Amino acid sequence: MDVTTSEELEYKEAQTDDNVEGIALVKSTESDENSSNQSIHFDKSEEGIRSEFGDHVSFAVSTEQNKEAQNKQNEKAFRKQLNKEAREIVAHSIHNNVKLIVHRPDYTPENQKEYESMSKNLLPVIREIARKTIPLIEHEISTDFAGRHYYGNQFRAESLGYLDFRYFSRKLPPSDSPSLVVGVRVDESKSMIAAGRLEAAKRAAIAIYEFCMLCDIPVLISGDTADVSRLEQMSIFSYADFAKPDRRDRYRLMGISARNNNRDGMALRIMADRLAGAEGQTKLLISISDGQPKAMESYTGEAAAQDMKQTMAEFERKGVRFVAAAIGQDKEIIGSIYGDGRFLNITDLNRFPAEMVRYISRYL
């Protein structure tokens, strides 16, 4: 059998079923064993309880199991949808032949503990910023005016010629669509492990996510890495998605990791397209990165920089605003790629999360 054909078939199956020889996302052998032990213990308890309380407990257990099975089915369908959309987005770009997998990471009890530890000192700061921001959102008033009214906010002298007493214009009511939609792209390249950058990126992701939840702002948070294997040249990790909000997404954020290379332009294109199609007056895409783009098959240097610049120019015409939060050694190169007005030089990683939230609040 031809090797290439066999590998391609395997890749197609991976795109459908998410069975790839790539990144282990959520479960270790230890966690599987723990889950198994918990299940056996629960069955024994259930049997004892059923003998005492009858079929009511059996029905409740069955209902809960059905609910969990349905949730897993919904997650699988959503993951397939994300894969399909992502491949369609890059189909007519220079990334059309790059083998892509979009993962929807689950979370573990360890992720939940890490979140609680990492967010403990961060949440009070975020809540205070949100407390000052929410009134601005609630009292948001449109700046658009409709003319030819008998009374209103502005007197329009040019209307005097009509002699019908409609000499005023009135402010239009606020739109039902959100004023702001936020996307956060996290670089998950290997170099992020150095100098506390990975932890800073996680803390910033927590801060942005919680701020958006408090202020009812649609948010999209993804991480990405490249060159995991020949059959997975680009990996996207969907941690939080405004198309399927889930309160457990905050724990998924703890899966952000330092993995391999980075193909920035492809990640930006996929996220920007999602934002461009979302309802909202302002679409803000933040890229948290510590270095310049670099992936196999010559995606580096000027070629990669030009791809990123062209992607930003294309989607800025569609209303997406880009900003790079540079937290590594390549700040000058990142700044030259993104250009003036699209670059934040982050020097203090301890203040990084609060700085990002304050920056976002300016767009409200």
Side-chain angles (χ1 to χ4, degrees):
M1 179 181 290
D2 182 72
V3 175
T4 303
T5 303
S6 175
E7 289 182 342
E8 291 300 328
L9 286 173
E10 181 183 353
Y11 171 66
K12 289 179 181 179
E13 289 177 1
Q15 289 182 314
T16 303
D17 300 325
D18 217 26
N19 298 321
V20 302
E21 294 181 3
I23 300 170
L25 296 177
V26 294
K27 292 186 178 179
S28 64
T29 304
E30 182 181 354
S31 66
D32 284 338
E33 290 175 355
N34 291 339
S35 299
S36 176
N37 291 336
Q38 289 172 0
S39 177
I40 293 170
H41 177 72
F42 180 80
D43 289 343
K44 290 179 180 178
S45 301
E46 178 194 340
E47 182 180 351
I49 293 171
R50 186 186 294 117
S51 65
E52 184 175 352
F53 294 100
D55 293 335
H56 294 291
V57 171
S58 178
F59 175 77
V61 170
S62 177
T63 302
E64 188 63 28
Q65 289 174 342
N66 289 339
K67 183 179 178 181
E68 183 64 25
Q70 185 61 52
N71 287 339
K72 289 182 179 179
Q73 194 67 25
N74 291 341
E75 278 294 332
K76 184 176 181 180
F78 184 58
R79 185 181 67 242
K80 288 184 178 181
Q81 176 188 336
L82 292 177
N83 273 277
K84 181 176 181 292
E85 290 180 356
R87 292 193 294 270
E88 289 174 351
I89 290 169
V90 300
H92 301 291
S93 71
I94 67 169
H95 310 286
N96 63 318
N97 291 322
V98 175
K99 293 179 173 61
L100 163 70
I101 299 289
V102 180
H103 300 276
R104 176 71 169 163
D106 203 346
Y107 71 94
T108 64
E110 288 73 23
N111 293 144
Q112 187 169 350
K113 290 178 183 178
E114 183 183 4
Y115 166 83
E116 291 168 355
S117 174
M118 193 171 286
S119 65
K120 184 177 181 180
N121 296 325
L122 191 59
L123 288 179
V125 177
I126 304 310
R127 289 180 182 134
E128 178 61 20
I129 298 173
R131 185 186 66 80
K132 296 177 180 178
T133 304
I134 289 172
L136 302 177
I137 302 172
E138 292 176 344
H139 295 89
E140 187 179 46
I141 300 175
S142 173
T143 56
D144 294 330
F145 288 82
R148 313 280 292 135
H149 285 276
Y150 292 107
Y151 60 92
N153 307 95
Q154 289 184 354
F155 177 76
R156 307 296 293 269
E158 65 271 20
S159 298
L160 291 174
Y162 288 99
L163 301 177
D164 60 2
F165 302 103
R166 298 182 181 182
Y167 305 147
F168 294 87
S169 63
R170 297 174 60 184
K171 283 188 176 180
L172 296 171
S175 171
D176 290 335
S177 64
S179 63
L180 178 64
V181 182
V182 175
V184 181
R185 174 258 171 173
V186 182
D187 170 11
E188 296 194 28
S189 58
K190 278 184 181 178
S191 57
M192 286 285 284
I193 197 68
R197 296 169 198 154
L198 185 63
E199 181 176 347
K202 284 186 178 182
R203 294 176 71 244
I206 290 173
I208 294 171
Y209 175 84
E210 296 296 350
F211 177 76
C212 289
M213 292 299 99
L214 289 169
C215 296
D216 200 24
I217 300 170
V219 63
L220 180 70
I221 303 178
S222 295
D224 60 88
T225 194
D227 305 325
V228 170
S229 71
R230 203 185 73 81
L231 296 176
E232 187 172 353
Q233 297 167 323
M234 180 65 172
S235 308
I236 303 287
F237 304 92
S238 172
Y239 297 113
D241 197 303
F242 49 60
K244 193 178 184 297
D246 185 342
R247 61 183 180 82
R248 297 168 295 185
D249 287 342
R250 51 175 53 89
Y251 307 134
R252 287 189 172 96
L253 295 173
M254 298 301 93
I256 294 172
S257 304
R259 305 182 194 269
N260 211 346
N261 294 333
N262 49 310
R263 190 179 291 269
D264 297 44
M266 189 174 183
L268 291 177
R269 175 170 291 276
I270 291 170
M271 291 198 71
D273 192 273
R274 291 287 310 282
L275 289 176
E279 292 186 1
Q281 299 173 23
T282 303
K283 289 84 177 286
L284 178 64
L285 177 49
I286 301 167
S287 176
I288 300 174
S289 178
D290 74 325
Q292 57 184 309
K294 185 178 182 181
M296 291 178 66
E297 300 302 327
S298 303
Y299 191 81
T300 187
E302 188 59 28
Q306 284 301 316
D307 173 52
M308 293 175 64
K309 291 176 181 179
Q310 290 170 8
T311 298
M312 287 186 284
E314 176 183 342
F315 284 96
E316 280 180 339
R317 291 192 293 269
K318 298 178 181 180
V320 179
R321 300 184 183 185
F322 293 82
V323 63
I327 60 174
Q329 74 276 15
D330 289 341
K331 293 178 181 178
E332 291 185 4
I333 297 175
I334 295 174
S336 66
I337 293 174
Y338 280 84
D340 294 338
R342 302 199 203 107
F343 175 70
L344 298 176
N345 186 350
I346 306 300
T347 55
D348 188 346
L349 294 184
N350 292 322
R351 299 176 60 184
F352 177 39
E355 284 185 19
M356 292 311 306
V357 170
R358 291 191 179 96
Y359 180 83
I360 292 170
S361 68
R362 298 173 193 168
Y363 284 86
L364 293 168

